[in-house]
Amino acid sequence: MGHYFENDEKLKPDKKEIGYSLDGYLFRFFTDSGVFSKDELDKFSLVFIDCLKKLPISGDVLDLGCGYGIIGIIISRHFPEVSLYQSDINKSAVELTKKNCLANNIDSAVILSDGFSEIDNCFDWIFLNPPIHAGKQVMFNLYSQALSHLNKNGKFLIVIHKKHGAQSTLNELKSICQSAASIYKKKGLYVFMCSNDKYDAEH
């Protein structure tokens, strides 16, 4: 069995459809073998979404490592004026995200990319539910790349569990950006927000 951050074309199809109701809207998500949390919306993403909905999100938004697209799609429904971009290294995830955007009437530029290898744009907001099983070095490289793709006053947000290295992630972020802070905590899950602008993440 391959990892969700790899392309494993030998996997047998296991297509599913998940319904999820939020704020009076019924979202439809199609999933398949080889993508993260194909049987249900994962709790990390749901906690992340709960946090993101409370922020003043606008402008160009990147859902980095989007899986089958749930974070970007739900946030775009909540903030319909954003320009949404979604990317993933997994071909199946990218195709599912495109399908899920259509199913939920969301406009998104969906990109097949290993990190930022196919992305030149800079963004006002970047969201990441990091690929824990890819290893710390891969995660830290994504953090660094994301920070270099922020517009002025842009924000980079990460959701991570305490047992998956939340403290080491926060330490790394503080070492590579001007400001980083925990802005949300729920049942061991943390959301960190960081910025290249001094003091910006804390205020």
Side-chain angles (χ1 to χ4, degrees), residues 35-104:
V35 296
F36 177 63
S37 194
K38 69 179 179 64
D39 296 319
E40 61 182 0
L41 304 194
D42 69 286
K43 64 179 182 179
F44 285 33
S45 292
L46 294 178
V47 166
F48 205 11
I49 290 164
D50 189 44
C51 171
L52 294 173
K53 286 170 53 185
K54 298 175 173 66
L55 299 174
I57 295 171
S58 62
D60 292 339
V61 171
L62 174 63
D63 180 6
L64 176 63
C66 63
Y68 50 90
I70 65 174
I71 294 173
I73 288 170
I74 292 176
I75 291 304
S76 184
R77 170 66 59 179
H78 195 73
F79 299 98
E81 299 304 315
V82 303
S83 294
L84 177 64
Y85 298 76
Q86 293 172 283
S87 70
D88 205 284
I89 191 175
N90 184 312
K91 293 178 182 177
S92 179
V94 165
E95 292 307 312
L96 286 166
T97 295
K98 292 177 180 178
K99 184 175 182 178
N100 289 330
C101 285
L102 286 172
N104 293 284

Side-chain angles (χ1 to χ4, degrees), residues 13-19 28-33 37-40 68 96 99-100:
D14 186 18
K15 299 180 186 296
K16 298 181 184 294
E17 180 179 347
I18 301 171
R28 297 170 63 209
F29 294 106
F30 298 96
T31 75
D32 203 347
S33 299
S37 194
K38 69 179 179 64
D39 296 319
E40 61 182 0
Y68 50 90
L96 286 166
K99 184 175 182 178
N100 289 330

Side-chain angles (χ1 to χ4, degrees), residues 135-175:
K136 186 176 289 187
Q137 191 57 54
V138 170
M139 291 165 54
F140 284 7
N141 285 341
L142 284 174
Y143 301 165
S144 177
Q145 291 172 35
L147 287 164
S148 71
H149 283 77
L150 287 177
N151 288 326
K152 181 175 175 58
N153 298 318
K155 309 292 192 299
F156 173 42
L157 291 99
I158 300 161
V159 63
I160 191 167
H161 198 281
K162 179 179 179 181
K163 68 180 181 182
H164 291 155
Q167 188 60 54
S168 64
T169 277
L170 184 57
N171 292 343
E172 176 68 12
L173 293 172
K174 286 182 174 180
S175 75

